[in-house]
């Protein structure tokens, strides 16, 4: 199991621009959602899980293309 995880990690480390763009997109969404909602702590308290899950799902959409590219080729 660890050998396979290390192999996949090394493969992804060779293409840093792909995973860095997904990570930066995630950080950008996390930082822009509170600006759009407003600085009221009560609103941010109950919308934080929604913001995190929305950001994860949107970032996963970016990663789908690179994930499935090898299957298409």
């Amino acid at each position: 199991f660890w050998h396979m995880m290390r192999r996949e990690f090394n493969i992804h480390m060779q293409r840093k621009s792909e995973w860095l763009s997904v990570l930066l997109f995630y950080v950008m969404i996390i930082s822009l959602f509170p600006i759009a909602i407003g600085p009221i702590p009560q609103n941010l308290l109950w919308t934080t899980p929604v913001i995190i899950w929305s950001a994860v799902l949107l970032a996963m959409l970016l990663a789908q293309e690179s994930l499935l590219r090898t299957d298409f080729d």
Side-chain angles (χ1 to χ4, degrees):
F1 174 76
W2 292 111
H3 176 69
M4 185 173 64
M5 291 297 288
R6 189 175 328 130
R7 179 181 163 271
E8 290 294 323
F9 180 74
N10 289 335
I11 289 171
H12 287 293
M13 288 305 289
Q14 291 174 357
R15 293 181 254 145
K16 289 182 183 177
S17 64
E18 290 180 5
W19 64 266
L20 273 177
S21 65
V22 172
L23 183 65
L24 288 175
F25 184 73
Y26 175 76
V27 169
M28 185 177 64
I29 290 174
I30 291 293
S31 61
L32 289 178
F33 254 102
I35 293 171
I37 292 173
I40 303 169
Q42 292 82 15
N43 287 349
L44 291 177
L45 185 65
W46 65 269
T47 57
T48 300
V50 174
I51 293 169
I52 291 172
W53 279 107
S54 299
V56 166
L57 291 174
L58 289 172
M60 284 175 53
L61 285 175
L62 280 178
Q64 280 303 102
E65 192 266 331
S66 64
L67 180 70
L68 298 175
R69 184 182 316 134
T70 56
D71 291 340
F72 183 71
D73 292 337

